[in-house]
Amino acid sequence: MMEAASSSSSMVSERRGIPAASFVEDVQTYLTQSGLDVTSSLAFLQERLQQYKLVEMKLLAQQRDLQAKIPDIEKCLDIVTTLQAKKGTGEALIADFEVSEGIYSRAQIEDTDSVCLWLGANVMLEYSCEEANSLLQKNLENAKASLEVLVADLQFLRDQVTITQVTIARVYNWDVHQRRSRQAAKDT
């Protein structure tokens, strides 16, 4: 039934698992090629639209997560960089850190060669400052690259939603026009 949505060839058939919607120029040809009647075609298109909406919600959640994660990584990177800059100066770093949600504590950090990073799933590992800096830099680059891909996916998805909505309107309007034409022919 997935093939039923295409009435003309399009350059992109999908993007990362998101099927592309084809613009329907001629509704009669579309219905003939798809082998569907108007009601079945509209039901198929509505179902496809709902699938797009579900994928959009998932992608938006991923985007929010990444947008929250990037500033956290940048903060950690700034702290590690500051620790490296203070190393050997004899000057202590005074920092407020979050003990748990909304609860902070103040710490005085003397010369240090290592830091502990939360990796997730209640796992923390100790890294040298250089290793931590490298890891955080890599994580930041990966998060920004993932965000760029997500934004492109969302734009592609929005285009597919628009094309599908236009196709639904075209099929519906074509059907209304056909019914009126048949009714007018009966009346004469």
Side-chain angles (χ1 to χ4, degrees), residues 97-105 118:
F97 66 96
E98 194 169 14
V99 176
S100 69
E101 195 170 327
I103 300 173
Y104 292 86
S105 181
W118 284 108

Side-chain angles (χ1 to χ4, degrees), residues 71-86:
D72 288 345
I73 296 171
E74 288 172 336
K75 270 193 251 178
C76 289
L77 198 53
D78 286 345
I79 291 169
V80 171
T81 303
T82 303
L83 284 172
Q84 285 178 302
K86 296 259 185 193

Side-chain angles (χ1 to χ4, degrees), residues 26-39:
D26 180 11
V27 175
Q28 180 65 54
T29 304
Y30 164 72
L31 292 173
T32 303
Q33 287 178 349
S34 68
L36 299 173
D37 62 9
V38 171
T39 305

Side-chain angles (χ1 to χ4, degrees), residues 3 5-11 21-26 29-30 33:
E3 294 78 38
S6 63
S7 68
S8 62
S9 63
S10 77
M11 294 176 78
S22 297
F23 179 74
V24 173
E25 292 191 35
D26 180 11
T29 304
Y30 164 72
Q33 287 178 349

Side-chain angles (χ1 to χ4, degrees), residues 137-166:
Q137 199 67 36
K138 182 180 170 196
N139 288 352
L140 182 60
E141 290 168 13
N142 290 342
K144 286 182 177 180
S146 294
L147 186 59
E148 283 181 33
V149 169
L150 267 175
V151 168
D153 287 351
L154 280 166
Q155 183 57 51
F156 176 80
L157 189 61
R158 287 182 182 122
D159 291 345
Q160 304 325 296
V161 166
T162 301
I163 291 168
T164 303
Q165 288 171 333
V166 168

